[in-house]
Amino acid sequence: MIDKIKDYIGEADAFTTENKEELEAFRIKFLSKKGILNEFFAEFKSVPNDQKKEFGQVINALKTAAEDKVKGIVELLESREESKGVFGDLTRSAEPVIIGSRHPISIVKNQIIDIFANIGFNVSEGPEIEDDWHNFTALNLPEYHPARDMQDTFFIQTNPDVLLRTHTSSVQVRYMENNKPPIRTISPGRVFRNEAISSRSHCIFHQVEGLYIDKDVSFADLKQTLLYFTKEMFGKSKIRLRPSYFPFTEPSAEIDIYWGLKTETDYRITKGTGWLEIGGCGMVDPNVLKNCDINPDEYNGFAFGVGVERIAMLLYQIGDIRMFYENDVRFLEQFKASI
Ligand code: PHE
């Protein structure tokens, strides 16, 4: 009989469940009025005296084993229920995490950075609030120069020397002041112009300007660099350099790419011509180099600047520039796949 009780102790020790009904069945089997323990206690009387001691010990061991087991499992199940109340069901599968999306301006800006990084350009940045020297004067635009009117400027009223930069050419000046040629750098950033807001232009927009200074740089180098860029960015290789004027470059040109006229948005963005101006470029004016302590007899170079919004509008077929700044999540969510 003692062996039988020992078997039951083994059974009670090994028992495990997470289910309340199974636990109750276990309790009834061992500890209820008609349970195994009571049966053994009833038999205690008929056990011979010399075995009573050992019998009593094992039967008590069985009782403790069964009671401890029930108590342990009850506590475990209760603690689970408590944590359910605080944290929810800890065993349920995880909810999908809703990820954000990059802004289309950032996506395009990063692509431009990558494309130029592949041909050795680094990235330089500068302040959005600029002084007159870096935004105008050093770029061959002395005070009262009529070309200052080409870019309507936001001045800080109390101090005409402080303004919101109208282009990131200001960063190029800072870069040339602090670095010796050869220079290959692009300057992405936000710029500000006091212009009427419409579907095609805004008073805040983004540029990526590039600067290349070395010995014996030619206009052909500039053209080839822009061609490489348009091929990588748009998969198109038809560009047009239209003679133009910028005070900081000579000769200067506007960069147009041929986009075609496949969709209504193409018509709208290119004003029905299929061509879109994406920026300006030219050979850096010797005066600019001089202003930045670079000897123009030794070095020359080219510069260009492209508008990020224009490029994003073409790539993503966005007909209205204002969409970029409204931050409507229905618009932004559409760029999740483009990261
Ligand atoms: N800074 C000019 C602009 O914002 C663009 C440009 C950059 C033109 C470099 C020529 C060379 O309009």
Side-chain angles (χ1 to χ4, degrees):
M1 182 143 30
I2 285 176
D3 285 345
K4 207 169 157 198
I5 299 174
K6 283 186 177 161
D7 283 349
Y8 277 126
I9 293 177
E11 185 185 329
D13 279 341
F15 177 73
T16 174
T17 182
E18 298 194 355
N19 175 311
K20 279 186 183 164
E21 279 86 54
E22 277 175 26
L23 179 66
E24 182 59 8
F26 174 85
R27 195 192 63 79
I28 290 170
K29 179 173 174 186
F30 283 90
L31 298 166
S32 69
K33 253 188 187 170
K34 291 184 178 166
I36 292 166
L37 264 162
N38 273 351
E39 261 173 45
F40 284 130
F41 279 125
E43 281 172 34
F44 189 71
K45 282 176 231 134
S46 48
V47 173
N49 274 349
D50 60 336
Q51 289 178 21
K52 269 204 162 80
K53 191 175 168 207
E54 197 190 351
F55 189 87
Q57 276 170 353
V58 279
I59 203 170
N60 272 327
L62 176 60
K63 187 171 177 239
T64 320
E67 282 176 351
D68 285 356
K69 182 59 79 174
V70 172
K71 210 170 129 206
I73 294 177
V74 165
E75 270 171 17
L76 183 78
L77 294 180
E78 273 175 3
S79 73
R80 286 228 178 128
E81 246 153 49
E82 264 168 35
S83 57
K84 239 190 229 172
V86 180
F87 303 113
D89 180 358
L90 296 180
T91 59
R92 73 156 188 239
S93 52
E95 281 181 20
V97 178
I98 298 168
I99 54 161
S101 53
R102 255 190 233 292
H103 194 282
I105 296 297
S106 300
I107 296 171
V108 171
K109 186 186 80 180
N110 291 342
Q111 276 173 0
I112 299 174
I113 291 174
D114 285 348
I115 291 171
F116 281 104
N118 284 344
I119 53 170
F121 281 74
N122 67 8
V123 173
S124 48
E125 287 182 329
E128 291 182 349
I129 300 173
E130 261 302 357
D131 52 35
D132 183 280
W133 169 258
H134 291 100
N135 197 79
F136 290 128
T137 308
L139 287 161
N140 205 25
L141 277 150
E143 219 183 333
Y144 305 120
H145 192 291
R148 285 196 177 204
D149 292 342
M150 283 168 74
Q151 300 174 352
D152 290 325
T153 310
F154 286 113
F155 291 95
I156 309 290
Q157 257 180 358
T158 49
N159 186 349
D161 189 37
V162 183
L163 48 93
L164 297 180
R165 67 181 178 197
T166 56
H167 48 193
T168 54
S169 304
S170 55
V171 182
Q172 304 183 330
V173 173
R174 287 179 181 275
Y175 195 87
M176 283 189 279
E177 283 172 344
N178 295 311
N179 296 276
K180 296 257 154 297
I183 289 172
R184 293 169 178 75
T185 189
I186 52 168
S187 317
R190 190 160 56 159
V191 299
F192 307 83
R193 289 187 200 174
N194 194 357
E195 277 173 19
I197 297 172
S198 71
S199 64
R200 288 170 48 88
S201 62
H202 207 283
C203 59
I204 302 175
F205 59 99
H206 297 76
Q207 285 188 325
V208 176
E209 295 221 353
L211 178 71
Y212 185 109
I213 308 285
D214 208 334
K215 290 178 177 160
D216 302 323
V217 181
S218 73
F219 199 88
D221 296 329
L222 167 61
K223 199 177 118 192
Q224 216 46 46
T225 306
L226 293 172
L227 200 57
Y228 157 77
F229 168 67
T230 45
K231 270 189 199 161
E232 293 289 312
M233 191 80 214
F234 306 102
K236 311 222 176 215
S237 48
K238 199 162 157 186
I239 61 170
R240 183 168 78 177
L241 297 179
R242 250 181 315 117
S244 183
Y245 171 76
F246 296 104
F248 29 87
T249 47
E250 180 61 34
S252 306
E254 310 271 358
I255 313 159
D256 294 346
I257 66 162
Y258 187 71
W259 183 257
L261 288 169
K262 278 189 230 77
T263 69
E264 202 189 315
T265 314
D266 293 344
Y267 268 92
R268 194 161 349 140
I269 297 175
T270 68
K271 288 193 196 151
T273 63
W275 288 93
L276 186 79
E277 182 196 318
I278 57 163
C281 65
M283 302 306 288
V284 179
D285 193 292
N287 281 338
V288 177
L289 297 177
K290 248 185 255 165
N291 288 338
C292 301
D293 273 339
I294 293 174
N295 181 359
D297 295 329
E298 199 181 344
Y299 293 104
N300 72 335
F302 62 76
F304 57 87
V306 294
V308 180
E309 278 79 354
R310 283 275 170 92
I311 294 174
M313 286 168 84
L314 273 188
L315 284 179
Y316 295 120
Q317 296 287 291
I318 297 163
D320 192 324
I321 196 170
R322 288 167 290 201
M323 305 277 272
F324 291 120
Y325 316 110
E326 278 164 8
N327 285 332
D328 184 330
V329 283
R330 290 166 299 183
F331 171 71
L332 298 176
E333 273 184 343
Q334 297 176 45
F335 300 93
K336 271 190 184 158
S338 315
I339 300 170

